[in-house]
Amino acid sequence: MQTNVDLDSPLLEVRGLSKSFGALKALQEVDFTLRAGEIHALLGENGAGKSTLIKVVTGVFARDAGVVRLAGGEIAPRSAKAALDAGIATVYQEVNLLPNLSVAQNLYLGRQPTCFGVVREAEMRRRAKALLNGFGLDIDVGAPLSSYSVAIQHVTAIARAVDLSARVLILDEPTASLDRHEVEILFKAMRQLAAAGIGIVFVSHFLDQVYEICDRITVLRNGRLIGERETASLPRLELIRMMLGRELAETTETRAPAHSGAMGEVCASFKGFGKQGYVAPFDLELRHGEVVGLAGLLGSGRTETARLIFGAERADSGEAEVDGQAVRLNSPRDAARLGFGYCPEERKTEGIVADLTVRENIVLALQARRGLHRPLSRREQDEIAMRFIRLLDIRPPDPERPIGLLSGGNQQKALLARWLATEPRLLLLDEPTRGIDVGAHAEIIRLVRDLCDQGLALLVISSELDEIVTYSNRVVVLRDRAHVEELKGEAVEVSSILAAIAADGATAAQGAVP
């Protein structure tokens, strides 16, 4: 492969790119430059515009304004295939190959070598083996793709794209489900491609990996370009500031007055609890009357931690106890029986049932716990629904209104009501204030404090650091799918959380949760 590459040569240029979906401005005059032979990180939190930028460049979405140039020539692909034909390929987190076919068949699908209409299997395997040898892989290309690790499947997808003459390779969260050894396999392939002059766009939430593999970093926030910097000259704390939109001068916030309720006994504890490739094993105690906040960037493992605790994902290591007794959390049903409640981040797709009424949504979890043989009477349903509608001020106060017609804040209140109706001992709230108006935001914060004062144990995930500092007794900071630090008492400050998020791997190891 070629080794002498002009890193100053613009390969992909995006200028003034804009894209709207109705009133939502997903991209606003965004510039982006990828040089030949570089690995360039594209970073930003949820809703920053990363996915929209990729889809516009690759022809999935039509752009509203702006110019895209490849090797100096303007392009306007109208489909992903047209983009690939032009030389831009995308490999997503979920490899879009056929696991039931062999490695060789996947590499040459649609362009198999033939003789008189018959596929030349031996020749196809010879070519496939030679192609993968160039990536440092010596495997049986006749074996099913599914028999190999996700990393090798990713390298196979990359090799196919490169063999189809891709000059620009976009890797969207390729390491999300890989272990360290598999990451090294992928990184080796990426470095070889960069050395050969291919430009690589690397989208990831793992900052340690970004600093390890990338030459430059571009940050988007709320559809706008925040900045483009050389990786070596960008301190991590500055990168966090760019991603979250917080000026360093603002990191001196102090926390609100402590809760009036006293913390009680341990409600639930987890030791060495984790799942390989999902969340590193962690230790965590949750007490009655206490709010524990989970902080970290998007993809750091916050939601994954909550899903493990609620049994939505099954842990493969560690143990869990509730009120001092060992328990199994193999499913959400197990968690609900133990008195756990979970309000997910994606309330529209994972929380509410939009076509059901407010009443039906509120009683859903309680009815599920009672089972089909103990149905709630209509009178009981009405009483429960109206009690929580009044308690949480759900508007409009109509229990028979389809919940899908309510505002985001009122939908969130109804989800809280669903679990409060079960009288839970532990409530998991994932981004409880995201996407709701200012008034509803204040009410949700008040509810969190009130529930804590009443003795409920709460685990709350939030991207809003000011918010999480306001109501948390402790804050566990996550990075790269691992719990890296726990802050208590006076240490629960925005500046301390930012410092823990921005710390490199060596620093984090010194302050990791025991």
Side-chain angles (χ1 to χ4, degrees):
M1 286 187 176
Q2 178 182 343
T3 56
N4 296 320
V5 176
D6 180 8
L7 293 178
D8 293 325
S9 174
L11 179 58
L12 177 69
E13 294 179 275
V14 175
R15 294 291 176 265
L17 198 64
S18 296
K19 177 64 181 177
S20 296
F21 299 94
L24 174 64
K25 295 181 178 180
L27 294 174
Q28 301 181 61
E29 299 182 350
V30 170
D31 295 342
F32 178 80
T33 301
L34 176 68
R35 299 168 185 162
E38 79 164 339
I39 302 175
H40 193 135
L42 180 62
L43 304 182
E45 285 285 87
N46 192 24
K50 305 186 303 294
S51 296
T52 303
L53 176 59
I54 290 170
K55 289 178 180 178
V56 170
V57 169
T58 57
V60 177
F61 295 150
R63 60 181 179 262
D64 296 336
V67 175
V68 179
R69 298 187 184 95
L70 181 62
E74 186 173 344
I75 62 170
R78 296 180 178 273
S79 67
K81 183 180 184 305
L84 182 57
D85 291 341
I88 303 175
T90 305
V91 176
Y92 294 96
Q93 176 182 344
E94 301 295 333
V95 179
N96 55 347
L97 297 180
L98 301 176
N100 57 312
L101 298 184
S102 70
V103 173
Q105 288 170 329
N106 271 284
L107 284 170
Y108 292 99
L109 187 64
R111 56 196 185 103
Q112 302 94 327
T114 60
C115 181
F116 301 109
V118 178
V119 175
R120 299 167 62 194
E121 287 285 346
E123 174 64 14
M124 183 170 65
R125 293 185 184 185
R126 185 191 68 77
R127 293 184 187 180
K129 192 168 185 64
L131 178 61
L132 291 182
N133 281 343
F135 288 86
L137 289 184
D138 184 12
I139 62 174
D140 179 5
V141 296
L145 182 67
S146 60
S147 64
Y148 291 106
S149 69
V150 176
I152 290 179
Q153 293 181 34
H154 271 293
V155 174
T156 301
I158 291 170
R160 173 180 166 83
V162 172
D163 200 48
L164 286 167
S165 301
R167 289 179 286 176
V168 172
L169 185 62
I170 301 172
L171 303 180
D172 192 357
E173 294 288 352
T175 63
S177 57
L178 306 186
D179 61 27
R180 184 61 210 177
H181 174 67
E182 293 172 325
V183 169
E184 287 297 334
I185 293 173
L186 183 62
F187 280 6
K188 181 180 179 181
M190 290 168 62
R191 292 187 180 103
Q192 288 179 312
L193 292 172
I198 290 175
I200 300 175
V201 179
F202 182 60
V203 181
S204 178
H205 296 301
F206 298 132
L207 297 191
D208 285 347
Q209 294 178 8
V210 167
Y211 275 89
E212 176 182 351
I213 194 73
C214 295
D215 302 298
R216 285 192 301 148
I217 297 171
T218 290
V219 177
L220 301 182
R221 188 174 72 241
N222 297 330
R224 293 183 179 274
L225 172 65
I226 300 304
E228 175 192 291
R229 301 277 292 275
E230 298 288 335
T231 306
S233 63
L234 179 59
R236 292 182 183 230
L237 195 58
E238 176 70 8
L239 174 59
I240 301 298
R241 181 198 67 77
M242 293 170 69
M243 294 174 66
L244 298 183
R246 172 176 295 280
E247 297 298 332
L248 296 181
E250 297 175 1
T251 64
T252 57
E253 306 284 351
T254 56
R255 48 181 322 202
H259 308 297
S260 60
M263 285 181 287
E265 298 296 321
V266 174
C267 168
S269 65
F270 305 87
K271 295 181 180 178
F273 209 62
K275 180 178 180 180
Q276 186 174 7
Y278 193 68
V279 179
F282 60 86
D283 294 349
L284 182 64
E285 280 191 349
L286 302 169
R287 294 179 175 273
H288 294 286
E290 179 187 36
V291 179
V292 175
L294 293 186
L297 296 177
L298 183 70
S300 60
R302 302 171 309 180
T303 295
E304 290 79 2
T305 295
R307 288 177 61 82
L308 271 186
I309 290 174
F310 194 63
E313 292 286 342
R314 185 178 297 187
D316 57 19
S317 66
E319 55 190 31
E321 292 185 355
V322 172
D323 291 340
Q325 301 295 316
V327 298
R328 292 184 178 274
L329 292 166
N330 294 329
S331 69
R333 185 181 296 250
D334 290 342
R337 285 191 185 124
L338 291 167
F340 293 6
Y342 176 43
C343 294
E345 176 183 6
E346 299 296 337
R347 59 175 172 267
K348 291 187 181 295
T349 56
E350 299 179 5
I352 67 169
V353 183
D355 293 335
L356 297 185
T357 66
V358 173
R359 168 182 56 82
E360 290 168 326
N361 271 273
I362 288 176
V363 303
L364 196 60
L366 181 58
Q367 182 59 74
R369 178 186 289 186
R370 288 168 60 108
L372 294 176
H373 301 296
R374 297 174 57 205
L376 290 165
S377 69
R378 179 56 185 269
R379 181 181 60 80
E380 290 175 308
Q381 293 183 35
D382 289 339
E383 289 178 354
I384 292 169
M386 285 310 302
R387 174 157 57 95
F388 285 103
I389 285 173
R390 287 191 291 267
L391 177 66
L392 304 183
D393 193 22
I394 298 173
R395 302 177 188 178
D398 178 6
E400 300 311 306
R401 188 179 183 88
I403 197 171
L405 300 180
L406 271 58
S407 68
N410 284 292
Q411 289 176 359
Q412 189 72 359
K413 291 181 190 178
L415 277 179
L416 279 170
R418 174 189 296 172
W419 290 109
L420 292 177
T422 67
E423 298 182 351
R425 69 178 81 209
L426 169 64
L427 192 54
L428 313 171
L429 305 179
D430 193 350
E431 297 286 6
T433 61
R434 171 167 288 171
I436 62 179
D437 60 51
V438 175
H441 187 286
E443 290 185 58
I444 297 296
I445 297 299
R446 177 185 58 79
L447 283 170
V448 169
R449 289 173 171 166
D450 289 346
L451 292 171
C452 177
D453 290 341
Q454 294 167 23
L456 189 64
L458 288 113
L459 184 69
V460 185
I461 299 167
S462 179
S463 300
E464 300 291 333
L465 299 187
D466 285 329
E467 173 186 307
I468 210 166
V469 162
T470 297
Y471 51 64
S472 296
N473 300 95
R474 289 184 286 136
V475 173
V476 174
V477 181
L478 293 95
R479 188 179 62 254
D480 296 347
R481 302 284 178 90
H483 293 218
V484 296
E485 191 163 347
E486 181 178 298
L487 305 173
K488 303 176 182 179
E490 296 302 319
V492 178
E493 296 180 347
V494 173
S495 57
S496 301
I497 296 173
L498 280 174
I501 293 173
D504 60 27
T507 303
Q510 297 173 6
V513 179

